[in-house]
Amino acid sequence: MTRSTVFTPFDIVEGDRKKGVVLLADHARRDLPEEYGSLGLPASEFDRHIAYDIGVETVTRELAAALDVPAVLAGFSRLLIDPNRGEDDPTMIRQLYDGTVVPGNYPIAQEERERRLDRFYRPYHDAVGAMIASVAHASGKAPFILSVHSFTPVMQGFVRPWHVGVLWDLDDRVARPLIDMLAQDKSLFVGDNEPYDGALRGDTMFRHAIVNGYAHALIEIRQDLIADRAGALAWAERLAPIVDAIDRRADIHAVKMFGSRTGPA
């Protein structure tokens, strides 16, 4: 974990915006502003999945470099506030996460909740929205958005068998070919809306892709596979030709409104 008095809620990785692709990493970092200390937690908790998506920053940066496309990475720990939740989601600021009580989040006043929204959550989403709009303008077409995440191999005693999962709601333009191309590697166990369901109202994909009719998917890579640099590089190399192939599909850069399983979009 890094603490800094000068804190940036997001980081931009530059790339060729004319290609029409945007990479996102909502949980790339585990950092906190200096004023929040460690939220009352021991340092070891920031090595766990509860603080960030292990391996995702390297995968996202390397994938962006391989494809020469831009990316937006959140700069703060999900323990401070989770950008992959709607503003009305009660799990946006966790008070208990996978058995760990977060003292700095309990209790939390409404004023402090709004402060974190204004200083961290909203600037990140503003940056995501601005990047997507910039890519749309530069490319002259609807962007293709891929959000990169990772998941812990074991959750609440359940051993998760998937190596990778693809999360989606109703728009399968990216999800279906992504699943099919990953599954061509017979060594991989590929999850379809595993280990989570991709229909989450108000999350990043809902907010920036679904409501705009942009083709998208969220990919979850098991953390033990990308915890070191070699593993993260291997996954970026695996994903680069797949993402490039999907980007070339005829329907990927069209606006199509599919709606959401969560209700009207």
Side-chain angles (χ1 to χ4, degrees):
M1 179 180 65
T2 301
R3 300 195 192 107
S4 174
T5 53
V6 180
F7 194 88
T8 304
F10 59 87
D11 192 14
I12 301 293
V13 176
E14 285 297 345
D16 186 353
R17 303 186 186 200
K18 293 180 181 178
K19 292 190 173 182
V21 179
V22 179
L23 303 181
L24 303 178
D26 297 325
H27 302 144
R29 306 294 296 273
R30 54 185 170 176
D31 300 350
L32 294 173
E34 188 174 66
E35 67 201 81
Y36 285 92
S38 63
L39 293 173
L41 294 169
S44 59
E45 294 290 354
F46 288 85
D47 294 329
R48 298 182 59 210
H49 69 94
I50 64 172
Y52 73 124
D53 278 357
I54 294 166
V56 156
E57 181 172 9
T58 300
V59 171
T60 305
R61 289 183 182 278
E62 293 298 329
L63 183 57
L67 296 169
D68 187 22
V69 300
V72 185
L73 293 76
F76 49 90
S77 172
R78 68 198 301 174
L79 290 174
L80 184 68
I81 189 167
D82 192 336
N84 194 37
R85 296 291 186 273
E87 291 196 14
D88 59 350
D89 192 315
T91 67
M92 185 177 64
I93 299 177
R94 299 262 192 167
Q95 298 178 340
L96 175 67
Y97 197 0
D98 195 19
T100 294
V101 175
V102 186
N105 293 346
Y106 183 81
I108 188 163
Q110 182 64 27
E111 292 79 5
E112 174 58 23
R113 181 181 180 278
E114 286 297 319
R115 186 166 179 265
R116 296 188 196 184
L117 281 166
D118 284 341
R119 289 190 59 200
F120 310 109
Y121 178 101
R122 289 172 183 146
Y124 170 67
H125 281 287
D126 288 347
V128 170
M131 176 61 76
I132 291 170
S134 175
V135 167
H137 177 76
S139 65
K141 55 192 178 184
F144 156 26
I145 304 168
L146 182 68
S147 185
V148 184
H149 290 249
S150 67
F151 65 96
T152 181
V154 180
M155 176 64 84
Q156 297 176 346
F158 173 65
V159 177
R160 292 159 152 179
W162 311 281
H163 298 100
V164 60
V166 178
L167 278 54
W168 57 289
D169 193 339
L170 288 175
D171 184 350
D172 66 350
R173 286 178 290 169
V174 176
R176 185 51 54 201
L178 182 54
I179 291 168
D180 291 345
M181 283 189 264
L182 285 167
Q184 289 177 13
D185 184 340
K186 301 306 180 185
S187 70
L188 293 180
F189 186 6
V190 182
D192 182 347
N193 269 327
E194 299 286 359
Y196 308 104
D197 190 329
L200 181 60
R201 191 168 192 84
D203 71 352
T204 301
M205 291 293 91
F206 183 92
R207 179 170 181 164
H208 295 285
I210 291 173
V211 299
N212 293 316
Y214 294 156
H216 64 281
L218 188 155
I219 188 167
E220 292 265 7
I221 307 167
R222 205 173 70 199
Q223 288 171 355
D224 59 310
L225 304 176
I226 57 173
D228 60 24
R229 183 167 180 79
L233 287 173
W235 269 91
E237 290 171 1
R238 170 185 273 125
L239 288 171
I242 294 175
V243 174
D244 183 60
I246 294 171
D247 180 43
R248 297 175 188 276
R249 292 170 67 96
D251 60 344
I252 290 300
H253 293 287
V255 172
K256 293 188 177 182
M257 306 305 294
F258 286 79
S260 171
R261 287 181 277 125
T262 67

